[in-house]
Amino acid sequence: MKNLRRYHNTDILFKSLTQDIKEKMDLDLNSLFYLAISGGNTAVKMFDYWINKNLIPISWERIRFFWVDERCVPPNNSESNYFQAKKHLFEPLNVPMEHIFRIKGEKNPQEEASEYGNLINNLVPHKNNKPAFNTVILGTGLDGHTASIFPNNLSLLTNNDNYAVVQHPEKPQMRISMTGTLILNADSIILPIVGKEKKDIIKRIISDDKEDLYLPGNYIYKTAKNITLYLEYI
């Protein structure tokens, strides 16, 4: 099921997204909810909405937080996705550390990708013989990348590992990213795209043009069985 939802207001977009997460959590009130989150500006805006404006009751104590991707930096580095989530979400909510499973960006990337993939295997319930998050929240860049799968690294879309190491195409920074196979095995995928600078990439992500199939965001959208795009049109 593919859903496209368009909003002219970021707060309304995040309200709708949050309501959808609550409804997914309400399907089984007695189970933990396994959520993979991303980094970037949109994620920070979403966290700030949850802390400062959200009125929808979320059972935060049931959520176990994991990461879609992480930069290979220490956890106190401002570029760390974990650092931003800690600052904007976990500390304000007083989320217990035992509910948070970060990618250790300060470790050897190859070793951590393998270890984090094994952690996911052991903790997250399986379907199709692979871990299946209840929800994966993605983001996208102006180049159409999602997670840390960039247009020059399309092999990660079909990589059978849970996580892999990738280098940013324009700088020497290394990252650890969830692969496309793990993303697509989630029960649901959420992709919020906000900001007027994203108008052109929105068109390409939902495009049927064959050239756009080489965009990771387009591939995930076209291939996913259950994905919702929350689009801000300004």
Side-chain angles (χ1 to χ4, degrees):
M1 181 171 59
K2 301 183 194 306
N3 297 305
L4 285 174
R5 300 183 182 176
R6 297 176 172 88
Y7 306 88
H8 291 283
N9 180 289
T10 308
D11 286 351
I12 298 175
L13 183 154
F14 287 134
K15 179 180 179 181
S16 176
L17 181 156
T18 306
Q19 181 61 42
D20 287 347
I21 290 176
K22 182 184 186 301
E23 290 175 4
K24 291 177 176 63
M25 294 181 69
D26 287 349
L27 293 174
D28 188 350
L29 295 173
N30 296 314
S31 294
L32 298 177
F33 192 83
Y34 296 87
L35 177 68
I37 58 176
S38 298
N41 293 332
T42 299
V44 169
K45 290 177 182 177
M46 181 179 68
F47 300 153
D48 287 341
Y49 174 85
W50 283 344
I51 296 302
N52 299 312
K53 298 181 180 180
N54 177 48
L55 299 177
I56 297 169
I58 297 292
S59 301
W60 298 106
E61 70 280 359
R62 288 178 48 213
I63 299 179
R64 297 298 178 267
F65 293 93
F66 299 82
W67 268 263
V68 171
D69 62 335
E70 181 59 282
R71 296 169 176 84
C72 292
V73 296
N76 59 351
N77 188 297
S78 62
E79 291 194 354
S80 164
N81 290 339
Y82 165 76
F83 176 84
Q84 294 298 334
K86 177 183 176 184
K87 177 181 177 182
H88 291 270
L89 184 67
F90 301 145
E91 287 183 345
L93 284 178
N94 293 313
V95 176
M97 287 300 297
E98 58 266 26
H99 294 181
I100 301 167
F101 301 89
R102 72 178 181 91
I103 297 174
K104 298 174 182 175
E106 70 276 19
K107 295 183 63 175
N108 175 280
Q110 294 289 351
E111 291 178 2
E112 178 59 12
S114 176
E115 290 179 11
Y116 198 71
N118 290 334
L119 177 75
I120 300 297
N121 267 330
N122 293 330
L123 293 180
V124 177
H126 283 53
K127 72 175 181 183
N128 304 321
N129 297 313
K130 201 167 186 66
F133 288 96
N134 294 106
T135 295
V136 170
I137 304 179
L138 298 175
T140 189
L142 296 177
D143 60 354
H145 83 266
T146 193
S148 281
I149 306 174
F150 295 92
N152 70 331
N153 241 312
L154 297 178
S155 64
L156 292 188
L157 291 169
T158 55
N159 189 314
N160 284 321
D161 294 331
N162 291 330
Y163 285 80
V165 179
V166 60
Q167 183 174 338
H168 191 284
E170 297 177 358
K171 49 189 175 183
Q173 182 189 77
M174 304 301 293
R175 299 186 180 190
I176 296 171
S177 178
M178 188 183 290
T179 63
T181 53
L182 187 58
I183 292 171
L184 292 168
N185 202 48
D187 292 339
S188 70
I189 300 169
I190 285 175
L191 176 52
I193 307 178
V194 304
K196 58 185 178 181
E197 73 278 5
K198 299 279 183 75
K199 288 179 67 175
D200 290 339
I201 202 61
I202 287 173
K203 294 176 184 177
R204 297 189 65 193
I205 285 176
I206 63 178
S207 168
D208 290 322
D209 193 315
K210 289 184 179 180
E211 288 187 9
D212 290 325
L213 289 174
Y214 295 98
L215 290 179
N218 182 287
Y219 176 89
I220 293 296
Y221 175 66
K222 296 296 183 181
T223 309
K225 293 180 180 179
N226 187 2
I227 186 169
T228 302
L229 269 61
Y230 300 80
L231 309 177
E232 182 185 31
Y233 279 95
I234 300 174

